[in-house]
């Protein structure tokens, strides 16, 4: 079964840092682009960042550019999101999502259950 | 920044056709996707690249995208289709943008 599983969420104070992880299984991880999408409590979906299968290309929403860094370790089938200088409005459930192809990080066909980040 | 606009809510009777619109400047020139999210669950991709259906998604879900509007159509709507639906667009200049979401109620 194709799955992605997030971890690393938690509670922290403004200005802090956190690293989220996403483990992929059931598919050839390096052949698929990946994205992070977040959802603040009671709000809609917000795309955060994406990367191609090789990790050679990365993309960010303006709201996190310069503070968040996406990376992947294909030898470990794991995607990361390094978050620095966190703000209260970064509070959300963070989802990891698999793209439908090596470069298509924007059509997300498999989603994890999410990990919660609270900045307060 | 690029914006997508969806109606906050749409109501439909069981067995009828539900249409959910998503508007954005020259949206037809971008790829559009649709996601379904039920309470307490993760989103599910129901339409990608304007009108393609992932495996496992019922044929009653279809999509179109032209001009400034993308539309998700659910034919023969069932009670299980009650959910929030989000449109999403991409192109190389705007990256990924989600609409605000539409709550579909099956009365």
């Amino acid at each position: 079964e194709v799955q992605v599983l997030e971890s690393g969420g938690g509670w922290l104070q403004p200005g802090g840092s956190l690293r989220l992880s996403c483990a992929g299984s059931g598919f050839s991880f390096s052949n698929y682009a990946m994205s992070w999408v977040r959802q603040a409590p009671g709000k809609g979906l917000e795309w955060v960042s994406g990367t191609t299968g090789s990790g050679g290309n990365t993309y960010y929403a303006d709201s996190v550019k310069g503070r968040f860094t996406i990376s992947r370790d294909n030898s470990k089938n794991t995607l990361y999101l390094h978050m620095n200088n966190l703000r209260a409005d970064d509070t959300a459930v963070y989802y990891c999502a698999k793209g439908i192809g090596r470069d298509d990080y924007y059509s997300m066909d498999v989603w994890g259950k999410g990990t919660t980040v609270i900045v307060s | 920044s690029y914006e997508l606009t969806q109606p906050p809510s749409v109501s439909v009777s069981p067995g009828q056709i539900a249409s959910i619109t998503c508007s954005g400047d020259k949206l037809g020139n971008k790829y559009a996707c649709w996601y379904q999210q039920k309470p307490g669950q993760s989103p599910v991709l129901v339409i990608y690249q304007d009108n393609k259906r992932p495996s496992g998604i019922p044929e009653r879900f279809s999509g179109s995208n032209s001009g400034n509007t993308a539309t998700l159509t659910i034919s023969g709507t069932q009670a299980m289709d009650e959910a929030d639906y989000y449109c999403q667009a991409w192109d190389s200049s705007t990256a990924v943008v989600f609409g605000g979401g539409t709550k579909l109620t099956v009365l």
Side-chain angles (χ1 to χ4, degrees):
Chain A
E1 182 184 4
V2 177
Q3 288 184 325
V4 295
L5 180 63
E6 307 92 338
S7 61
W11 173 85
L12 66 165
Q13 296 182 335
S17 298
L18 200 62
R19 187 186 77 168
L20 305 183
S21 299
C22 169
S25 61
F27 63 102
S28 180
F29 189 77
S30 63
N31 284 341
Y32 292 92
M34 301 290 293
S35 271
W36 289 98
V37 177
R38 68 185 180 184
Q39 188 168 32
K43 302 298 184 182
L45 301 173
E46 180 188 15
W47 175 79
V48 173
S49 181
T51 182
T52 52
S54 67
N57 292 298
T58 57
Y59 308 89
Y60 298 94
D62 287 344
S63 59
V64 306
K65 203 171 293 185
R67 299 188 300 124
F68 290 11
T69 301
I70 191 171
S71 64
R72 63 191 298 162
D73 185 339
N74 287 341
S75 68
K76 296 182 178 179
N77 291 348
T78 302
L79 177 75
Y80 301 102
L81 185 67
H82 305 258
M83 304 185 293
N84 295 322
N85 192 20
L86 281 158
R87 311 185 302 221
D89 62 359
D90 294 317
T91 294
V93 174
Y94 284 73
Y95 294 103
C96 168
K98 169 187 163 292
I100 63 171
R102 192 185 300 268
D103 297 319
D104 185 343
Y105 60 92
Y106 43 86
S107 307
M108 294 165 270
D109 64 347
V110 178
W111 294 61
K113 295 188 182 303
T115 188
T116 299
V117 174
I118 299 172
V119 184
S120 175
Chain B
S1 62
Y2 193 77
E3 293 185 358
L4 295 174
T5 301
Q6 299 181 235
S9 63
V10 168
S11 298
V12 64
S13 299
Q16 299 304 302
I17 297 173
S19 294
I20 301 174
T21 58
C22 175
S23 300
D25 185 49
K26 297 183 177 70
L27 179 54
N29 293 342
K30 307 178 189 297
Y31 275 137
C33 291
W34 291 90
Y35 299 87
Q36 175 194 71
Q37 187 179 33
K38 297 181 179 180
Q41 297 185 18
S42 303
V44 173
L45 179 68
V46 294
I47 294 290
Y48 69 99
Q49 291 179 6
D50 297 341
N51 53 23
K52 297 179 180 178
R53 215 173 34 250
S55 61
I57 300 302
E59 290 185 6
R60 64 179 181 274
F61 288 87
S62 63
S64 64
N65 184 19
S66 178
N68 294 323
T69 303
T71 302
L72 174 69
T73 302
I74 309 173
S75 304
T77 307
Q78 301 182 8
M80 68 172 65
D81 299 329
E82 188 164 284
D84 292 329
Y85 289 85
Y86 295 90
C87 65
Q88 174 235 300
W90 174 88
D91 77 2
S92 58
S93 63
T94 59
V96 180
V97 177
F98 282 97
T102 297
K103 181 177 180 61
L104 177 68
T105 301
V106 183
L107 299 171

